[in-house]
């Protein structure tokens, strides 16, 4: 599977969001990552449907929506209608995960599940065959610009092993502290999608940084 980059607009300039999305459209980025935070599941609040709809209006690449919220089932259909191509929910926020995954698929979206740094990969054994994507959080979710957790390489390798036995075409995504120093090692460990926010938008040339990450 090709290496994909999903730049996160959480780190974009919200005063110039259209400009930044148009830059992503022209870049080697593959998806556009949209982080939804509710101030409950995570301590931060980001944005919701209006910003997602604006991103969809200007984007020519699929929106990769990550719901870091409690009770995400309430909003899956609305985010699908707002333009999400893929919807990822947090394992820790979904007591009836199989049903949640089915709702995502019924909405016509790629179904993903994210696991926090403290959640064992083994918790995915009974659901991985139903998933299109697993997102390994390499920081504690809620804020951009955090330091990468080194145990992530081991977790990515574990997801890769589980996928080979159950879902060989699984997207294995990593989000949190991804930059040019760890991108290559993450791909080697088994990841095939990297989310990058601060590393892209804080770079002197964001488009060039996306290319650097993609070909790491």
């Amino acid at each position: 599977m090709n290496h994909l980059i999903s730049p996160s607009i959480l780190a974009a300039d919200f005063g110039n969001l259209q400009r930044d999305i148009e830059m992503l459209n022209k870049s080697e980025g593959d998806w556009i990552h949209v982080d939804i935070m509710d101030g409950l599941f995570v301590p931060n609040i980001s944005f919701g449907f209006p910003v997602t709809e604006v991103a969809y209006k200007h984007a020519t690449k699929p929106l990769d929506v990550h719901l870091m919220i409690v009770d995400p089932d309430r909003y899956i259909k609305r985010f699908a209608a707002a333009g999400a191509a893929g919807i990822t929910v947090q394992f820790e926020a979904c007591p009836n995960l199989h049903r949640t995954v089915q709702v995502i698929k019924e909405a016509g979206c790629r179904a993903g599940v994210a696991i926090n740094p403290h959640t064992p990969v083994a918790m995915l054994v009974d659901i991985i065959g139903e998933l299109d994507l697993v997102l390994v959080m390499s920081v504690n979710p809620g804020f951009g610009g955090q330091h990468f957790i080194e145990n992530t390489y081991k977790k990515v390798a574990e997801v890769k092993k589980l996928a080979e036995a159950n879902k060989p075409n699984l997207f294995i995504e990593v989000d949190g502290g991804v930059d040019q120093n760890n991108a290559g090692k993450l791909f080697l460990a088994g990841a095939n999608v990297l989310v990058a926010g601060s590393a892209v938008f804080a770079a002197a040339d964001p488009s060039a940084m996306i290319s650097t990450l993609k070909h790491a």
Side-chain angles (χ1 to χ4, degrees):
M1 187 179 292
N2 292 333
H3 294 167
L4 307 182
I5 302 297
S6 184
S8 173
I9 59 170
L10 185 65
D13 179 351
F14 279 23
N16 293 283
L17 188 57
Q18 179 179 347
R19 179 203 66 192
D20 283 358
I21 290 173
E22 289 173 350
M23 178 275 294
L24 296 179
N25 290 340
K26 296 173 184 176
S27 76
E28 286 194 79
D30 301 279
W31 301 343
I32 295 176
H33 196 75
V34 182
D35 284 309
I36 308 298
M37 305 178 188
D38 63 358
L40 294 172
F41 181 76
V42 293
N44 199 13
I45 296 174
S46 59
F47 43 74
F49 307 113
V51 172
T52 304
E53 289 165 354
V54 167
Y56 180 69
K57 176 182 177 181
H58 296 292
T60 59
K61 297 180 178 181
L63 297 189
D64 177 31
V65 175
H66 180 193
L67 302 182
M68 288 176 270
I69 63 176
V70 298
D71 196 7
D73 299 62
R74 295 174 296 166
Y75 300 118
I76 287 168
K77 290 181 181 178
R78 286 191 65 184
F79 276 108
I87 295 178
T88 298
V89 294
Q90 287 284 153
F91 172 88
E92 303 83 5
C94 299
N96 302 293
L97 185 58
H98 185 272
R99 182 170 65 197
T100 302
V101 168
Q102 292 307 117
V103 172
I104 296 171
K105 291 188 172 186
E106 288 166 6
C109 297
R110 180 182 60 248
V113 169
I115 54 173
N116 278 347
H118 70 276
T119 300
V121 171
M123 301 297 285
L124 299 175
V125 168
D126 292 329
I127 191 70
I128 197 164
E130 302 294 322
L131 302 180
D132 302 307
L133 179 148
V134 168
L135 170 53
V136 178
M137 292 301 298
S138 44
V139 299
N140 290 294
F143 296 94
Q146 296 184 68
H147 292 298
F148 179 85
I149 295 173
E150 293 295 320
N151 190 52
T152 302
Y153 302 116
K154 174 176 173 286
K155 291 187 75 172
V156 168
E158 290 174 1
V159 175
K160 177 68 172 176
K161 184 176 180 180
L162 194 60
E164 286 173 345
N166 297 277
K167 195 70 178 275
N169 60 342
L170 184 76
F171 289 109
I172 302 174
E173 187 173 47
V174 178
D175 183 7
V178 172
D179 60 24
Q180 65 270 38
N181 298 313
N182 53 37
K185 290 186 281 186
L186 287 167
F187 285 137
L188 283 174
N192 45 43
V193 186
L194 300 183
V195 176
S198 300
V200 168
F201 288 100
D205 186 338
S207 184
M209 177 57 70
I210 291 169
S211 299
T212 295
L213 296 173
K214 188 175 179 68
H215 300 288

